[in-house]
């Protein structure tokens, strides 16, 4: 029986490794794995024993059966209905099509157990790599074994906890600071921050950017001006009412994500409020608001492209330390950050 190279223990076993361990041809292994029959019982037992010993995962892709690769990558996002994540997927698919690769996309909720289950199910397909936006509380330690087995993994939007992996994020702090500087330049000296509750990684960093912006323009921090909200109109309405009761209420609001920005717009309409507003994340109807909404724009399609390029470079064999790519943002000035005209 032909010996299997010792490095097999350090990487994912392939069909060739199973054939070598079992002492049979590759076509025999293929027939056993695919259940086609026509193989002597002794050879079936040898192949099945080799599969167990090498921890080889059965799969349904003919290409994988022949070569040990699937020409398929996986992608997990937390809410594919969100325009940000749909554009992110589009960027990944663009790069994959150029390489004649397939992208299997799964959308998960914020339930960490569901996320872990879905990721495990994807990995059973013997993917060539994985791009992952995972819920913050998901226990992803099991992915370390996948990394050691040779599956490249790239995280997007937020880093994983407890493991080292390639990462693509945007400059959350810098974008938020630029929003504060813009509002200050427009004449505002009392600027509130509405920090979204879900997605703590981005929320915390954008709030940090808000404080950084205040320092850069010389404004004091006031905890009364910082509120944690979700993306419900009624919650934002109550928050605006509380801010209006302050002895020195704000004249402007910075919002840390697009869903919260839209909820604030709805709340302002209900209250007849005219606070200036700059929101992190652009959205399709921003230019149609009255006044049009100034936003901090990140490019999710570019983020997807960067993540895919990083993953495919790993698949192609690039070694070396993990990479952290930080993409910039830009201010789309549209008028909502201006001071309202003085009463006659």
């Amino acid at each position: 029986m032909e010996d299997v190279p010792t490095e097999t223990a350090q990487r994912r076993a392939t069909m060739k490794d199973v054939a070598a361990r079992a002492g049979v041809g590759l076509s025999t292994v293929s027939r056993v794995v695919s259940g086609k029959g026509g193989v002597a019982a002794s050879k079936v037992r040898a192949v099945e024993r080799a599969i167990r010993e090498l921890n080889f995962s059965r799969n349904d892709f003919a290409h994988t059966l022949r070569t040990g690769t699937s020409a398929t990558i996986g992608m997990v996002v937390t809410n594919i209905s969100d325009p940000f994540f749909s554009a992110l997927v589009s960027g990944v698919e663009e790069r994959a099509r150029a390489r004649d690769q397939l992208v299997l996309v799964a959308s998960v909720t914020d339930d960490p157990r569901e996320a872990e289950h879905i990721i495990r199910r994807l990995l059973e397909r013997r993917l060539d790599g994985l791009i992952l936006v995972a819920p913050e509380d998901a226990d992803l330690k099991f992915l370390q074994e996948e990394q050691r087995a040779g599956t490249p993994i790239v995280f997007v939007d937020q880093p994983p906890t407890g493991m080292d992996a390639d990462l693509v994020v945007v400059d959350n702090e810098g974008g938020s600071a630029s929003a504060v500087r813009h509002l200050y330049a427009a004449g505002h000296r009392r600027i509130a921050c509405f920090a979204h509750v879900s997605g703590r990684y981005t929320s915390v960093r954008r709030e940090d950017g808000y404080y950084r912006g205040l320092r850069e323009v010389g404004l004091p921090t006031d905890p009364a001006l910082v509120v944690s909200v979700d993306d419900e109109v009624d919650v934002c309405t109550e928050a605006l009412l509380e801010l209006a009761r302050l002895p020195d209420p704000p004249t402007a609001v910075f919002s840390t994500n697009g869903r919260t920005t839209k909820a604030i717009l709805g709340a302002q309409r209900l209250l007849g409020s005219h606070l200036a507003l700059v929101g992190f994340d652009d959205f399709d109807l921003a230019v149609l608001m009255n006044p049009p909404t100034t936003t901090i724009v990140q490019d999710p399609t570019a983020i997807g492209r960067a993540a895919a390029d990083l993953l495919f470079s790993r698949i192609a064999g690039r070694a070396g330390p993990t990479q952290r790519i930080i993409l910039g943002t830009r201010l789309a000035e549209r008028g909502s950050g201006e001071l309202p005209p003085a009463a006659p």
Side-chain angles (χ1 to χ4, degrees):
M1 182 182 299
E2 182 181 347
D3 291 334
V4 178
T6 56
E7 67 266 24
T8 301
Q10 304 300 321
R11 59 172 174 79
R12 185 187 297 280
T14 67
M15 292 285 294
K16 291 181 180 179
D17 298 324
V18 173
R21 175 65 65 91
V24 299
L26 193 59
S27 62
T28 299
V29 177
S30 177
R31 296 189 69 85
V32 172
V33 172
S34 60
K36 291 182 178 179
V39 180
S42 60
K43 291 185 177 180
V44 171
R45 289 193 296 270
V47 170
E48 291 180 341
R49 183 170 58 251
I51 287 173
R52 291 193 302 271
E53 292 172 352
L54 295 174
N55 194 29
F56 178 83
S57 299
R58 300 173 186 237
N59 63 89
D60 298 325
F61 296 104
H63 184 82
T64 307
L65 292 174
R66 293 193 306 271
T67 68
T69 64
S70 63
T72 304
I73 65 171
M75 185 170 186
V76 177
V77 297
T78 51
N79 184 1
I80 200 169
S81 64
D82 187 311
F84 174 88
F85 291 118
S86 59
L88 182 70
V89 170
S90 177
V92 172
E93 289 180 328
E94 176 187 316
R95 289 297 201 251
R97 282 194 299 270
R99 295 171 172 83
D100 196 25
Q101 298 278 320
L102 179 67
V103 184
L104 292 182
V105 181
S107 179
V108 299
T109 67
D110 290 328
D111 183 341
R113 288 175 297 180
E114 178 195 86
E116 179 180 346
H117 175 70
I118 293 298
I119 294 168
R120 288 184 182 275
R121 289 292 305 276
L122 270 180
L123 290 170
E124 289 174 2
R125 273 65 180 172
R126 288 185 63 82
L127 303 168
D128 290 342
L130 180 66
I131 296 175
L132 183 59
V133 181
E136 291 177 298
D137 295 326
D139 183 1
L140 302 177
K141 295 186 182 68
F142 68 93
L143 289 177
Q144 292 177 312
E145 181 178 345
E146 286 295 325
Q147 283 182 313
R148 288 192 291 269
T151 303
I153 301 174
V154 175
F155 282 81
V156 175
D157 200 44
Q158 59 191 30
T161 300
M163 63 180 292
D164 188 29
D166 292 324
L167 174 68
V168 180
V169 293
V170 299
D171 184 6
N172 292 293
E173 294 91 338
S176 301
S178 69
V180 175
R181 291 195 302 270
H182 172 75
L183 289 168
Y184 180 85
H188 299 283
R189 299 299 179 264
R190 295 281 287 170
I191 304 170
C193 175
F194 277 46
H196 62 281
V197 174
S198 61
R200 290 189 301 274
Y201 176 82
T202 55
S203 182
V204 167
R205 276 142 193 84
R206 292 171 191 177
E207 186 177 333
D208 287 345
Y210 161 80
Y211 290 122
R212 174 177 139 187
L214 293 178
R215 292 193 301 270
E216 290 175 350
V217 300
L219 291 179
T221 60
D222 183 350
L225 294 179
V226 180
V227 293
S228 295
V229 295
D230 56 25
D231 53 5
E232 298 294 329
V233 172
D234 57 344
V235 174
C236 290
T237 300
E238 182 59 34
L240 288 172
L241 287 171
E242 291 184 7
L243 289 173
R245 298 185 191 108
L246 293 175
D248 188 7
T251 60
V253 174
F254 165 63
S255 168
T256 59
N257 78 355
R259 294 187 299 275
T260 302
T261 300
K262 287 182 276 190
I264 293 171
L265 288 168
Q268 294 216 92
R269 179 179 292 273
L270 287 174
L271 296 173
S273 173
H274 300 287
L275 291 179
L277 175 63
V278 175
F280 205 112
D281 290 334
D282 205 15
F283 57 99
D284 289 343
L285 299 180
V287 296
L288 300 180
M289 297 295 105
N290 186 21
T293 307
T294 297
T295 60
I296 303 300
V297 180
Q298 54 178 326
D299 187 344
T301 303
I303 297 170
R305 292 177 187 134
D309 289 343
L310 185 51
L311 184 73
F312 285 123
S313 73
R314 292 293 192 188
I315 292 172
R318 184 182 62 80
T322 56
Q323 283 191 279
R324 182 186 181 96
I325 298 175
I326 302 176
L327 300 180
T329 62
R330 64 179 178 85
L331 176 76
E333 184 176 353
R334 300 190 178 106
S336 66
E338 302 301 318
L339 280 167

